[in-house]
Amino acid sequence: NSFGGLGDGTTEDRLAPVDVTGLSADVSSVATGVDFTCAVQKGGAKCWGSNDSGQLGNGAYESSATPVILPGLESGVAAVAAGVLHACAAKTNGEVWCWGENLAGELGDGTGQNFPIPVQVVDLGGEIQSVVVGGNHTCALTKAGGVKCWGWNNWGQLGDGTTTNRLTPLDVVGLGSGIAAISTGMGHTCALTSGGGVKCWGYNYSGQLGDGTTTNRLIP
């Protein structure tokens, strides 16, 4: 709790659960990043903890040991996702907004510049049902069951067949439909198909892709 990531108003480590200040009820989604946390309460996004890259999304760069409100995301948020130094929110209208570090394009706004307030992800080409955040990359699941990713791509974690970082979303090769859920790790990504199968891509040094090798994969 060195940076207030537990949200109890202190920076004391805790060996048992403590209530997050002001979030004792009506929370529908929560996500943990590295030393910071975000939640959705009554449709509004709130974050707390470390904030050196603007990952709390409140326009400042100071850490906060209690939840802060994100401008522009006071309502209409379905869920939040958090990574190392950035976070994103999926809105009920199908939009995705992200904030924090953006050096590899993980905010998806096309700039590659950090933003301490939420910015809208561009070129999603349709409504999004969920968003997931990896180490420095982001992926979204469309309502049509397709997968799009953007950001850091040095191990192929975007699944577009290259190792080129992307500032805006691109389709994952072969996953234009038929996907039920997605999940991201530090440098790899996986998808659950509507038929109950699993496809993975990206960093595979420890065999995290589950294909029987330790070879990185640039496509699922």
Side-chain angles (χ1 to χ4, degrees), residues 129-130 132 141 145 147 178-183 190-194 197 199 201:
Q129 60 174 308
S130 66
V132 293
L141 178 63
V147 183
I179 302 303
I182 51 176
S183 181
C190 292
L192 173 67
T193 72
S194 56
K199 296 177 178 288
W201 58 98

Side-chain angles (χ1 to χ4, degrees), residues 19-138:
D19 287 331
V20 176
T21 302
L23 298 185
S24 60
D26 300 313
V27 174
S28 58
S29 173
V30 65
T32 53
V34 175
D35 296 323
F36 77 105
T37 315
C38 295
V40 179
Q41 183 183 44
K42 294 182 178 180
K46 298 180 178 181
C47 296
W48 58 95
S50 179
N51 197 28
D52 54 332
S53 293
Q55 60 265 47
L56 298 190
N58 66 332
Y61 289 97
E62 293 81 27
S63 298
S64 176
T66 57
V68 295
I69 298 173
L70 280 67
L73 295 180
E74 298 92 345
S75 62
V77 177
V80 287
V84 174
L85 292 172
H86 80 291
C88 296
K91 298 194 69 177
T92 55
N93 64 1
E95 296 174 352
V96 175
W97 292 69
C98 298
W99 57 93
E101 185 178 274
N102 196 26
L103 299 181
E106 53 264 52
L107 301 190
D109 69 324
T111 69
Q113 299 176 355
N114 293 1
F115 280 94
I117 58 173
V119 292
Q120 187 174 357
V121 178
V122 300
D123 298 337
L124 283 175
E127 292 189 346
I128 299 302
Q129 60 174 308
S130 66
V131 62
V132 293
V133 173
N136 296 94
H137 74 291
T138 313

Side-chain angles (χ1 to χ4, degrees), residues 195-209:
V198 180
K199 296 177 178 288
C200 297
W201 58 98
Y203 191 54
N204 198 27
Y205 179 81
S206 299
Q208 50 265 64
L209 302 189

